[in-house]
Amino acid sequence: MNLTKIEKLPSPCWLLEEKKLRQNLSLLQRVKIESGAKILLALKGYALWKSFPIVREYLDGCCASGLHEAKLAAEEFGKEVHTYSPAFKEEEITEIASISHHLVFNSSAQFKRFAPKAKKSNPKLSLGLRINPEYSESPKEIYNPCGLHSRLGTTIENIDESILKECEGLHFHALCEQDSGALENVLKNVEAKFGSYIPNMKWINFGGGHHITRKGYDVEKLILLIRSFKARYDVEVYLEPGEAVGWESGPLMATVLDIVHNGMEIAILDTSAEAHMPDTIIMPYRAEVRGAAKAGEKAYTYRLAGNTCLAGDIMGDYSFDTPLKIGEKIFFEDQMHYTMVKATTFNGIKLPSIAIEKLNGDIDIVREFGYEEFKQRLS
């Protein structure tokens, strides 16, 4: 990382490191080659479209959650577009269908309502149904798509078999940052409940939540699971990771604006957990800070806090080898996924700029934000 050039970047700033992104993509490509599966980029987790020329060298396309993501995939990625939504809107279905390769419905009712219009718009469109295997090992209930009373996917009791003549694929999503062992157990439940339908399908989408690029993930098991499934049913298999694409591929850089004391040292930064790193509050998880440790482990402990009026806009307590100084840069690691796709202009705080560090060390600032982004979204 070119520290001299980084010091000159606008602050705050997301900094994608192309080298690390390509490392993730190379591993995903290996899974593709050795398993025979196709892999899509889940835009809900990672949608830095200026990096799509890199990503499309390795992956087969994108999965979208509605019209806007589908349009972004069609316009900027240019390969397969698979679109799923918990509920499609009448006024959007024709356009979505026209730019999609796969269209996945959440319920039999939506399938019956929109399939004719979708196929009329795009006769080559492959239609699918999201199923709910009613089993998940999700670590947090808020991220459990198979939990009690989940709205996501059709349970075996609620499938209307009249749609199956037109249905070419099944989609399930039951993982959240999990290993292939969890997938193995999910597949057992999928096959136990829906196994009689699978042989008549052209494709099965294993959804996202596969933490393939995380250190310690059992890649070999994943490859074997996919190959075995394909051998049993002779279907195309898709995976759609988002977080695994952007995993540990770059930090969010911020600057210390002030240091105040109230029982402890509190560093106020020009970023915000609430606005720029919402998953650290929602998930929740503690973002790693470069060169820092847990409170008390190093000589100088600070609470890192955001620059909004929300009292709880706090990243956490961290310790450093030397005292922090006003103007010093703070690097929150692993902030490429589920950050810029969720970021807001809450409290009028400026969105972080976006930069990409190339393989040769050059850094391109691909986007800066200002007042207009705040104003234009409000009226």
Side-chain angles (χ1 to χ4, degrees):
M1 181 174 282
N2 193 320
L3 295 178
T4 301
K5 292 183 178 180
I6 288 172
E7 285 291 327
K8 297 178 181 179
L9 289 175
S11 182
C13 183
W14 284 297
L15 178 60
L16 175 70
E17 298 174 52
E18 181 181 342
K19 179 180 179 180
K20 293 181 178 179
L21 177 64
R22 286 188 182 272
Q23 288 172 347
N24 288 343
L25 293 169
S26 293
L27 178 54
L28 294 174
Q29 187 178 57
R30 179 195 154 203
V31 171
K32 281 179 49 181
I33 293 170
E34 295 186 20
S35 72
K38 288 189 174 183
I39 299 184
L40 309 171
L41 165 64
L43 295 179
K44 66 181 179 180
Y46 179 92
L48 203 174
W49 56 270
K50 286 287 188 177
S51 70
F52 285 1
I54 299 170
V55 181
R56 66 171 165 252
E57 293 179 28
Y58 300 83
L59 303 188
D60 298 289
C62 299
C63 63
S65 303
L67 177 59
H68 290 175
E69 285 188 351
K71 290 179 72 171
L72 182 66
E75 292 174 3
E76 301 296 338
F77 204 95
K79 296 177 83 170
E80 291 188 39
V81 179
H82 295 213
T83 310
Y84 157 82
S85 177
F88 290 107
K89 300 178 73 172
E90 182 85 39
E91 62 267 29
E92 295 179 350
I93 195 68
T94 297
E95 185 176 4
I96 290 173
S98 70
I99 58 178
S100 298
H101 296 78
H102 287 192
L103 187 63
V104 179
F105 296 101
N106 189 62
S107 68
S108 298
Q110 282 252 310
F111 195 110
K112 293 175 74 172
R113 179 182 175 189
F114 290 127
K117 181 177 284 191
K119 290 291 281 188
K120 182 178 179 181
S121 174
N122 181 1
K124 295 181 179 180
L125 185 65
S126 184
L127 302 179
L129 179 72
R130 176 165 174 170
I131 56 174
N132 180 353
E134 300 176 85
Y135 175 87
S136 174
E137 299 176 14
S138 177
K140 298 286 183 180
E141 192 60 24
I142 190 175
Y143 293 107
N144 183 0
C146 302
L148 184 66
H149 308 309
S150 173
R151 74 191 191 283
L152 302 172
T154 301
T155 60
I156 187 64
E157 290 81 5
N158 289 294
I159 283 188
D160 182 342
E161 293 190 350
S162 68
I163 71 170
L164 295 179
K165 290 182 180 180
E166 297 178 87
C167 183
E168 295 185 339
L170 299 176
H171 173 289
F172 64 86
H173 179 90
L175 304 180
C176 175
E177 295 187 340
Q178 288 172 292
D179 208 324
S180 47
L183 173 63
E184 183 176 31
N185 293 330
V186 169
L187 282 173
K188 290 176 183 177
N189 284 269
V190 168
E191 293 183 75
K193 290 182 170 68
F194 300 95
S196 62
Y197 300 137
I198 298 175
N200 298 318
M201 299 295 154
K202 293 183 178 180
W203 52 266
I204 304 294
N205 190 319
F206 287 10
H210 314 272
H211 228 189
I212 300 167
T213 53
R214 187 196 69 222
K215 184 177 180 181
Y217 182 94
D218 192 342
V219 175
E220 303 302 331
K221 178 185 279 288
L222 174 64
I223 291 169
L224 289 174
L225 285 172
I226 296 170
R227 291 175 64 178
S228 177
F229 191 92
K230 286 173 64 67
R232 286 197 300 280
Y233 297 108
D234 190 27
V235 292
E236 188 81 77
V237 169
Y238 286 88
L239 306 179
E240 45 183 48
E243 186 165 340
V245 174
W247 182 250
E248 294 186 341
S249 61
L252 172 63
M253 181 197 75
T255 302
V256 177
L257 300 179
D258 196 13
I259 298 173
V260 299
H261 185 86
N262 185 2
M264 68 180 301
E265 298 298 306
I266 305 165
I268 301 175
L269 311 180
D270 63 351
T271 189
S272 164
E274 166 73 12
H276 302 158
M277 296 179 279
D279 260 21
T280 63
I281 295 176
I282 298 169
M283 186 71 175
Y285 76 95
R286 173 187 170 90
E288 294 297 321
V289 171
R290 189 171 303 173
K294 294 179 181 178
E297 291 186 358
K298 293 191 174 187
Y300 302 92
T301 294
Y302 295 83
R303 173 160 295 171
L304 301 184
N307 195 24
T308 72
C309 65
L310 178 69
D313 193 356
I314 296 169
M315 294 78 170
D317 298 344
Y318 298 81
S319 62
F320 300 82
D321 290 321
T322 58
L324 293 182
K325 299 177 182 178
I326 293 173
E328 188 168 343
K329 296 293 188 288
I330 300 292
F331 294 87
F332 293 94
E333 303 287 14
D334 192 23
Q335 293 300 307
M336 288 295 107
H337 55 85
Y338 286 109
T339 53
M340 61 186 76
V341 294
K342 288 188 173 185
T344 73
T345 56
F346 167 69
N347 220 170
I349 192 168
K350 185 178 75 170
L351 290 166
S353 301
I354 303 173
I356 299 176
E357 183 177 34
K358 304 291 187 179
L359 293 177
N360 63 6
D362 290 343
I363 298 178
D364 292 340
I365 301 171
V366 298
R367 185 67 191 271
E368 293 188 71
F369 301 92
Y371 168 65
E372 290 304 317
E373 284 73 29
F374 166 68
K375 178 183 178 181
Q376 290 176 5
R377 67 180 297 273
L378 296 174
S379 60

